[in-house]
Amino acid sequence: MTRKKEKKENPSNKALLEDEDEIVIDDSKEGTSKEQDDLQAKIEVQDIKLIEGEEQKVLEYYSKDNFIEEIKILEESNKKKDEQLLKYQTESDDWKNKYTRLQAEFENAQKRWNKNRQNLRIEYTASALKTFLPLYDSFKKALENSDENQVILKGFFDQFINILKYHKAIPIKVKVNDTFDYNYHEALSSIERDDLPNNTIINIIQDGWKLDKEVIRYAKVIVSRVPPPPEPEPEVKAELEEEITQENKESEAISNENEKEKQQETEKADKETVEPEEKNQ
């Protein structure tokens, strides 16, 4: 690598010299000594800068081999940087995928926790309210059987119902002639009824309650069932039995006759086979 110094004429100095001529011309016209002194000071400053070499430019010259070597070095460095960039990009994508999966798992786990917590809350509330339902039954029976203190009992009963409804417990709606539903009703017994379809509620023994979608207590009811068909009369039954026995006897007689005919045919065939043998002897 060689360096070559080249002196160039400073364009700023040249401009200053041209300006000097113009200023000198102007000074000759104006005849002021102050401007001439300023111009002289500027020229001296430019000369000092040229002497110190502050504005000299140094040019560097390279050979062809040096250029090729520098290009190879730059290509290798760029290749390494590209590989490193690709590595960092893949690592970034991996971390991004891991973060996305973890975020999805966390959201799913949070949903499961909230659902389980809600189910536990409903379950515990239902078990607590279930212990107060006998008090509801007692209030209801007292209202149905009492005439004197019905107003006082009605106030207590309404207050108790409001407490249950405050905890989102509601009675199961059921009435007579409704169809029996296994999800909300419990059949204590069944009665034969000709005028009603099968599994029709004919009496309500105890009210049912539910909390949200969970049943606290099933409604206890009595349902109807269709009676079985009447049995045939004895005379008709006897006639049927006689017809059946007669048909059985006829079939037995026919089968016996068929067996006799088969036996006769076999005996006849045996005789026919025995006679030729005797003749041959």
Side-chain angles (χ1 to χ4, degrees):
M1 185 181 295
T2 59
R3 293 184 179 180
K4 185 178 180 181
K5 294 183 179 180
E6 182 179 358
K7 292 184 179 180
K8 288 187 177 181
E9 187 177 0
N10 192 357
S12 60
N13 190 15
K14 186 177 180 181
L16 287 173
L17 292 173
E18 291 176 356
D19 292 337
E20 180 185 0
D21 295 335
E22 292 177 359
I23 293 169
V24 170
I25 294 168
D26 294 335
D27 288 342
S28 62
K29 292 180 181 180
E30 295 177 357
T32 58
S33 61
K34 186 177 181 180
E35 292 178 354
Q36 290 179 358
D37 295 333
D38 294 334
L39 179 61
Q40 188 66 28
K42 289 180 181 180
I43 293 170
E44 290 176 357
V45 170
Q46 292 295 329
D47 292 334
I48 292 169
K49 288 182 179 180
L50 287 172
I51 292 168
E52 292 177 353
E54 291 181 2
E55 293 186 356
Q56 291 181 0
K57 295 183 179 179
V58 179
L59 299 177
E60 295 181 355
Y61 294 93
Y62 295 91
S63 64
K64 184 178 179 180
D65 296 334
N66 291 332
F67 274 117
I68 293 170
E69 186 178 356
E70 289 291 334
I71 290 169
K72 289 181 179 179
I73 293 169
L74 290 173
E75 287 178 351
E76 290 178 358
S77 63
N78 289 332
K79 186 177 180 181
K80 290 180 180 179
K81 288 179 180 179
D82 291 338
E83 291 176 354
Q84 193 173 9
L85 180 63
L86 182 62
K87 180 181 177 182
Y88 290 155
Q89 189 173 3
T90 53
E91 289 179 356
S92 176
D93 293 337
D94 292 338
W95 282 110
K96 186 177 180 180
N97 293 330
K98 288 179 181 179
Y99 171 75
T100 305
R101 286 196 296 270
L102 287 174
Q103 188 177 9
E105 289 177 0
F106 176 75
E107 290 178 356
N108 293 330
Q110 192 173 12
K111 289 178 181 178
R112 287 195 300 270
W113 294 336
N114 292 331
K115 187 176 180 180
N116 292 332
R117 186 174 61 182
Q118 184 72 12
N119 292 334
L120 287 174
R121 186 185 66 80
I122 293 172
E123 184 178 354
Y124 291 150
T125 306
S127 62
L129 293 176
K130 189 175 181 180
T131 58
F132 291 97
L133 292 180
L135 184 60
Y136 163 80
D137 297 332
S138 300
F139 271 123
K140 189 174 180 181
K141 288 180 181 178
L143 283 173
E144 291 175 354
N145 298 324
S146 177
D147 294 332
E148 297 177 355
N149 300 323
Q150 191 171 9
V151 177
I152 299 172
L153 290 174
K154 185 70 167 58
F156 284 114
F157 182 73
D158 292 339
Q159 187 177 4
F160 184 72
I161 292 294
N162 291 330
I163 292 171
L164 293 176
K165 289 182 178 180
Y166 174 76
H167 292 285
K168 298 181 181 180
I170 56 175
I172 296 173
K173 294 180 180 180
V174 58
K175 58 184 179 179
V176 179
N177 295 330
D178 284 348
T179 304
F180 181 80
D181 189 357
Y182 292 94
N183 296 320
Y184 299 106
H185 306 149
E186 180 182 355
L188 298 179
S189 63
S190 60
I191 299 174
E192 293 181 358
R193 293 284 296 269
D194 295 333
D195 56 342
L196 294 174
N198 198 21
N199 289 331
T200 301
I201 296 173
I202 58 177
N203 193 6
I204 301 169
I205 305 300
Q206 193 178 52
D207 294 335
W209 285 80
K210 66 179 181 178
L211 179 65
D212 199 4
K213 294 181 180 180
E214 184 176 356
V215 177
I216 301 174
R217 187 177 71 181
Y218 291 92
K220 294 179 173 60
V221 296
I222 296 174
V223 297
S224 65
R225 69 172 184 271
V226 177
E231 296 181 357
E233 296 180 358
E235 295 179 356
V236 176
K237 188 175 181 180
E239 291 177 359
L240 291 173
E241 289 178 355
E242 289 178 358
E243 290 178 358
I244 292 169
T245 53
Q246 188 174 0
E247 289 177 357
N248 291 331
K249 288 178 180 179
E250 290 177 356
S251 62
E252 288 178 358
I254 292 168
S255 62
N256 291 329
E257 289 178 358
N258 292 329
E259 288 178 358
K260 287 179 180 180
E261 290 177 357
K262 288 180 180 179
Q263 288 179 358
Q264 290 176 0
E265 289 177 357
T266 53
E267 289 175 357
K268 186 177 180 181
D270 293 335
K271 288 180 181 180
E272 290 176 355
T273 54
V274 170
E275 288 177 357
E277 290 178 357
E278 291 177 353
K279 289 179 180 180
N280 292 327
Q281 291 177 358

